[in-house]
Amino acid sequence: MRKLIFKQAWMILIAFLLSITMAKAQNNSYISSKDLVDFVNPLMGTDSAFDLSNGNTYPAIATPWAMNFWTPMTSKMGDGWTYKYRENKIRGIKQTHQPSPWVNDYAAFSLMAVTGDLKFNEDERESWFSHKAETVTPYHYSVYLADYDVVAEVAPTERAASFKFTFPESENSYIILDAFNKGSMVKIIPEKRKIIGYCRNNNGGVPDNFHNYFVAQFDTDFELNHTWNDGWQLIENSTSSEGDHVGAIIGFKTKKGQVVNVKVASSFISLDQAQLNLSREIGTDTFENTKTKAKQAWETELGRIKIEDDNIDNIRTFYSSLYRVLLFPRKFYEFDVNNNVVHYSPYNGKVLPGYMFTDNGFWDTFRAVFPFFNMMYPELNGKIMQGLANTYKESGWLPEWASPGHRDVMIGSNSAPIIADAFLKGVKVPDAELLFDAMLKNATVADGRPVNSVGRAGLEYYNKLGYVPYDVDVNENAARTLEYAYADFTIAKMAEKMGKTKLAKKYYKQAMNYKHLFDPSTNWMRGKNKDGSFQSPFNPLKWGDAFTEGNSLHYTWSVFHDIQGLIDLMGGKTQFVAKLDEVFEMPPKFDHSYYGFTIHEIREMQIVNMGNYAHGNQPIQHMIYLYNYANQPYKAQEKIRNVMAKLYAATPDGYCGDEDNGQTSAWYVFSALGFYPVTPGGVDEYVIGSPLFKKATLQLENGNIFEIFSKKNSEKNVYIQSATLNGKPYNNTFLNFDDLQKGGTLEFNMGSKPNINWGASDENVPYSLSTENNKLKK
């Protein structure tokens, strides 16, 4: 009897285990059969507001790095939060170029369909909608406009888009083109079923002759045509209007299910160029053709990284994040009638040959976005470098925050690490000497800067004293000092590679300027006065003031190039680790007195129960990886996986702060693969964390394949027990760029308990300037 019971129990157990195995196999089969782009949720991060950012994103319906995006508008014209997930009315689908709600949009116009009584004022024409009747993918957007019984759809190309409006039976069906305010023009050409015009709206960073020219080609005859002028004044039976804010209205009689297709393109160069863009990118293609091509464009790029795992949620988050990484910087160039690359210059207003990219804040993206391009997209980054050279030729300065031209946003000199990283990683940079001269200009010329964010504010003080003083009316001075020192390191690295030995020595020395701000009495970075005394009183929890959107606890770690030097200043690795731990273990206290209110970045730190670790903003995002430098990589492994699990999800509230031009997403993409570029712009290493997936395959641009395996990986098995690189034991807590680019296999064995011995020797730690050949003494 006992044997029978035992046999039955054993058979039940086997059946249970077999069912789990089959379920996992089915799950993996589902992953391999599903198109990667359909894992992407463009609504990730859209549940945001001024006082709390869960991403501050909008659904970008676009192809990768496109000149134009399209997005539904739930908010009024000019509102930087153009699509709020919790709102329930849509005013139109607009062409957008917005990189951030804080920078806002430019060159925007929209299309909207209504039926019944004519409503064209944006407050009157808005329609109720539901996410239940909304389809959102990167390559296709569809929404049911409930008040009008219309389904509105859009599918994108790089510079054009196809619209599809499915109408009910109605004597009065309309499509409205709103050219927005701040200068616009529309012209209806009924015999050609066409609307042409321009819009000029912007929030700065444009020359006086800035225009976005558009062409809208319809497939249905117009029954009527109206325009409006300033103040929403309707001009019946008119075909043209020009003013501060104008628009066009065309009308039809429609049968139930009747489709009106509209093909739209735009250009920053001319109406003729807009027509050329439309002919080239859509031509005779149907809506479905355009949609299919856009889907394939995404599938091609996302397919460069193949994930194999049984956690669907993590895969969705990975590809949703990767989608964000591949949106910016924006292509701001076009192809002329002879198919030559040309661009309208947002710096001098001329139409010039060559590449131009825009809508990027290097304070954010130098950290991980551009290192990702150097790893996976070196050809693209070569074009971006040519665009930077053109910016320098056309404006006399490198950009730091462009949208579309120079904007006075953020701090630093972060064009330097972006250029140096590309050059040192082997990206083809035809204008390397010119770009190097531009980097030196940033570091040596104080006068003539077009806006305060370009070049280096406080440069004279920095070059004389080695820091930007607290008491000389240069705001965020400590943060500037730390970022200038790092930029100097990248200049030194590039100079050394170019054989400019004297310059290299000078800038290696300046790279140590971070030490001026280290306060040994607190072991934190601290503002310093012109006379050499530390700023007082000092509260390391005070946001802003000497720092940028953070406090001393966040910026102390901004010594990307010399972590060992920082360890030495703190008195050794034990003290260094204690300081790292302190950030996580203390309550989320803060001092917001500099701002006068609790800015959203502070609130996002406060509410996630991670102490003073503020992952929602960029300055601290590399910090967790610094445990590797102190021989305790297992602490990094645990915390990295915790951040990925708690602070990211492919949901409308899926970020823990601003998703700035792909940077917060790039942190996830790198970290999920198992490593991160702590020192971009000078070091050929990625610091190892804790890989998220059982297998990741990187199809590199040089044709090689790099595979990452993680045996026994699970939600609990976050700790690396051992590793091999191409079959050989691997104990370094970093991965060389060249080893990855050669292709091969990196394999981790994972476990639920820390292996305190893996990667724990001094020879296994990543790069620091203080330990590299003692260059400063030569």
Side-chain angles (χ1 to χ4, degrees):
M1 186 68 178
R2 289 179 180 176
K3 289 182 178 180
L4 180 61
I5 293 172
F6 177 78
K7 184 177 181 180
Q8 289 175 336
W10 181 246
M11 291 177 67
I12 291 171
L13 177 61
I14 290 174
F16 174 70
L17 293 173
L18 184 61
S19 69
I20 293 176
T21 302
M22 290 178 64
K24 287 184 176 181
Q26 290 173 352
N27 218 359
N28 278 319
S29 175
Y30 169 70
I31 294 169
S32 62
S33 65
K34 188 177 176 69
D35 291 329
L36 298 179
V37 67
D38 290 328
F39 286 114
V40 174
N41 182 8
L43 296 179
M44 181 175 175
T46 59
D47 187 6
S48 299
F50 174 86
D51 55 355
L52 183 68
S53 173
N54 288 311
N56 268 338
T57 65
Y58 55 85
I61 315 305
T63 56
W65 306 291
M67 189 175 87
N68 305 323
F69 301 169
W70 296 88
T71 194
M73 296 173 63
T74 67
S75 301
K76 288 187 176 185
M77 172 183 66
D79 188 337
W81 285 262
T82 188
Y83 180 96
K84 303 183 186 75
Y85 184 79
R86 297 191 188 189
E87 292 186 336
N88 44 37
K89 293 182 180 180
I90 282 182
R91 298 163 180 262
I93 298 173
K94 77 167 179 174
Q95 185 184 105
T96 178
H97 306 90
Q98 179 171 296
S100 162
W102 309 104
V103 176
N104 213 304
D105 209 349
Y106 64 91
F109 64 94
S110 71
L111 276 73
M112 179 64 177
V114 302
T115 58
D117 294 338
L118 176 58
K119 300 175 182 178
F120 63 95
N121 183 300
E122 68 170 339
D123 291 332
E124 297 172 357
R125 74 183 185 228
E126 62 182 3
S127 171
W128 279 84
F129 83 104
S130 169
H131 298 301
K132 299 177 181 66
E134 181 187 42
T135 300
V136 192
T137 72
Y139 57 88
H140 175 227
Y141 178 79
S142 175
V143 65
Y144 178 62
L145 302 174
D147 288 340
Y148 307 117
D149 194 21
V150 172
V151 174
E153 302 177 69
V154 63
T157 73
E158 286 191 347
R159 298 167 189 84
S162 285
F163 279 80
K164 179 181 177 182
F165 297 98
T166 304
F167 284 95
E169 183 172 355
S170 175
E171 291 290 311
N172 302 296
S173 295
Y174 306 96
I175 292 177
I176 297 164
L177 192 156
D178 189 337
F180 286 22
N181 62 355
K182 301 184 180 180
S184 49
M185 181 275 283
V186 293
K187 182 178 180 181
I188 303 172
I189 312 174
E191 65 274 18
K192 293 185 178 181
R193 301 172 174 170
K194 185 183 289 188
I195 302 173
I196 62 175
Y198 63 73
C199 55
R200 305 193 64 203
N201 54 88
N202 66 85
N203 287 277
V206 300
D208 291 340
N209 67 345
F210 173 77
H211 291 73
N212 183 28
Y213 301 93
F214 54 77
V215 175
Q217 181 69 62
F218 295 75
D219 69 349
T220 305
D221 289 335
F222 305 163
E223 295 279 344
L224 62 81
N225 44 262
H226 309 314
T227 65
W228 76 80
N229 209 299
D230 299 345
W232 301 101
Q233 297 178 28
L234 182 65
I235 309 173
E236 294 186 351
N237 304 313
S238 63
T239 57
S240 64
S241 186
E242 187 172 11
D244 176 70
H245 179 196
V246 306
I249 304 163
I250 57 170
F252 318 90
K253 294 177 182 178
T254 56
K255 298 177 181 179
K256 184 178 180 180
Q258 182 174 340
V259 171
V260 176
N261 290 288
V262 192
K263 298 175 180 179
V264 185
S266 64
S267 168
F268 294 106
I269 295 173
S270 68
L271 279 168
D272 288 342
Q273 182 66 46
Q275 183 64 58
L276 183 60
N277 292 343
L278 182 62
S279 300
R280 274 220 184 98
E281 297 194 7
I282 297 183
T284 60
D285 282 356
T286 65
F287 181 87
E288 289 302 319
N289 292 151
T290 303
K291 176 181 169 182
T292 298
K293 288 180 178 180
K295 182 175 184 179
Q296 186 54 53
W298 278 109
E299 200 64 21
T300 297
E301 304 307 340
L302 297 174
R304 297 196 185 201
I305 301 180
K306 295 285 181 64
I307 299 300
E308 296 178 37
D309 202 84
D310 52 13
N311 189 314
I312 293 291
D313 289 336
N314 287 345
I315 291 173
R316 289 187 178 120
T317 304
F318 180 86
Y319 285 110
S320 296
S321 297
L322 183 55
Y323 148 80
R324 291 284 169 193
V325 177
L326 305 184
L327 287 173
F328 296 102
R330 178 185 315 286
K331 294 176 180 177
F332 203 76
Y333 61 87
E334 304 172 54
F335 296 89
D336 69 12
V337 68
N338 296 314
N339 215 30
N340 296 313
V341 176
V342 294
H343 66 272
Y344 166 81
S345 172
Y347 302 99
N348 64 22
K350 298 178 181 179
V351 178
L352 297 166
Y355 292 103
M356 179 63 62
F357 292 79
T358 191
D359 290 322
N360 218 248
F362 294 164
W363 184 83
D364 304 292
T365 55
F366 87 87
R367 304 165 195 270
V369 173
F370 280 90
F372 184 79
F373 293 165
N374 290 329
M375 182 175 78
M376 298 300 298
Y377 291 95
E379 183 179 349
L380 169 75
N381 207 23
K383 294 175 181 177
I384 295 172
M385 293 303 112
Q386 293 178 54
L388 290 181
N390 287 332
T391 297
Y392 182 60
K393 294 172 186 176
E394 294 160 26
S395 76
W397 295 88
L398 290 169
E400 296 295 337
W401 229 118
S403 182
H406 294 304
R407 299 292 295 277
D408 192 10
V409 183
M410 306 311 293
I411 67 155
S413 190
N414 297 307
S415 52
I418 284 172
I419 294 166
D421 198 36
F423 180 77
L424 294 165
K425 295 293 195 304
V427 171
K428 293 180 180 179
V429 185
D431 295 304
E433 286 286 352
L434 177 73
L435 288 170
F436 184 76
D437 289 344
M439 293 160 66
L440 289 182
K441 182 176 180 179
N442 273 6
T444 57
V445 177
D447 297 330
R449 297 180 299 120
V451 292
N452 198 46
S453 64
V454 167
R456 298 186 179 187
L459 173 65
E460 303 97 322
Y461 295 109
Y462 177 82
N463 286 347
K464 181 179 179 180
L465 302 174
Y467 61 93
V468 181
Y470 179 84
D471 56 348
V472 295
D473 294 324
V474 179
N475 67 332
E476 301 170 1
N477 38 81
R480 294 181 192 276
T481 298
L482 295 169
E483 295 197 20
Y484 296 167
Y486 177 63
D488 285 343
F489 168 76
T490 65
I491 291 172
K493 277 287 187 179
M494 188 165 173
E496 183 178 46
K497 181 76 172 180
M498 299 175 91
K500 304 176 189 293
T501 306
K502 186 176 180 180
L503 276 173
K505 287 182 177 180
K506 173 185 176 181
Y507 284 96
Y508 275 127
K509 183 176 181 180
Q510 289 187 191
M512 290 300 186
N513 280 341
Y514 72 89
K515 294 184 178 182
H516 290 293
L517 299 189
F518 185 79
D519 173 18
S521 70
T522 63
N523 270 4
W524 296 119
M525 295 292 178
R526 184 173 176 180
K528 181 175 278 190
N529 293 320
K530 186 178 179 182
D531 65 5
S533 63
F534 280 112
Q535 163 262 323
S536 184
F538 173 60
N539 180 2
L541 300 179
K542 186 176 184 180
W543 281 63
D545 199 15
F547 300 98
T548 301
E549 295 180 359
N551 60 32
S552 181
L553 275 66
H554 308 142
Y555 256 96
T556 291
W557 318 104
S558 291
V559 187
F560 309 96
H561 55 296
D562 194 24
I563 301 304
Q564 184 57 53
L566 184 60
I567 290 171
D568 294 340
L569 289 174
M570 288 188 176
K573 293 181 178 181
T574 299
Q575 293 87 336
F576 180 80
V577 169
K579 277 293 185 186
L580 289 171
D581 290 344
E582 183 180 345
V583 173
F584 288 97
E585 293 170 357
M586 69 184 303
K589 295 180 179 179
F590 57 86
D591 175 355
H592 67 199
S593 60
Y594 177 76
Y595 300 105
F597 68 102
T598 304
I599 62 173
H600 76 93
E601 290 92 347
I602 296 176
R603 190 70 71 205
E604 290 141 19
M605 176 204 74
Q606 181 193 28
I607 62 178
V608 297
N609 194 24
M610 289 189 180
N612 242 266
Y613 179 69
H615 188 82
N617 210 22
Q618 283 67 36
I620 204 171
Q621 287 180 350
H622 68 293
M623 171 201 161
I624 296 177
Y625 285 90
L626 303 189
Y627 283 104
N628 287 31
Y629 295 75
N631 310 123
Q632 295 189 22
Y634 64 91
K635 286 192 174 182
Q637 295 156 25
E638 174 196 10
K639 288 177 170 57
I640 289 163
R641 290 289 285 268
N642 189 35
V643 168
M644 285 194 283
K646 288 181 62 175
L647 304 186
Y648 289 85
T651 58
D653 65 344
Y655 293 104
C656 59
D658 283 356
E659 203 309 285
D660 285 314
N661 305 150
Q663 169 53 32
T664 300
S665 292
W667 185 95
Y668 185 92
V669 168
F670 266 120
S671 296
L673 294 175
F675 46 86
Y676 186 79
V678 169
T679 318
V683 176
D684 60 348
E685 296 175 356
Y686 306 105
V687 180
I688 290 174
S690 176
L692 184 60
F693 300 114
K694 293 182 177 179
K695 183 182 178 182
T697 303
L698 279 58
Q699 179 67 59
L700 304 170
E701 199 167 82
N702 61 16
N704 295 332
I705 294 174
F706 191 79
E707 296 178 308
I708 304 160
F709 292 89
S710 303
K711 291 184 176 180
K712 300 180 182 179
N713 204 343
S714 70
E715 186 177 344
K716 293 182 178 179
N717 290 356
V718 304
Y719 298 104
I720 297 172
Q721 306 299 301
S722 62
T724 61
L725 179 62
N726 298 326
K728 297 180 180 179
Y730 195 77
N731 294 309
N732 290 336
T733 63
F734 59 89
L735 174 67
N736 285 320
F737 173 83
D738 288 341
D739 286 338
L740 186 150
Q741 289 295 316
K742 290 175 185 175
T745 301
L746 178 62
E747 187 171 293
F748 297 101
N749 291 304
M750 310 299 291
S752 60
K753 296 181 179 179
N755 178 1
I756 62 174
N757 296 315
W758 183 81
S761 298
D762 287 345
E763 64 187 22
N764 303 135
V765 302
Y767 172 97
S768 287
L769 179 57
S770 289
T771 55
E772 194 221 34
N773 300 326
N774 205 8
K775 281 188 167 68
L776 299 179
K777 294 182 179 179
K778 290 185 177 180

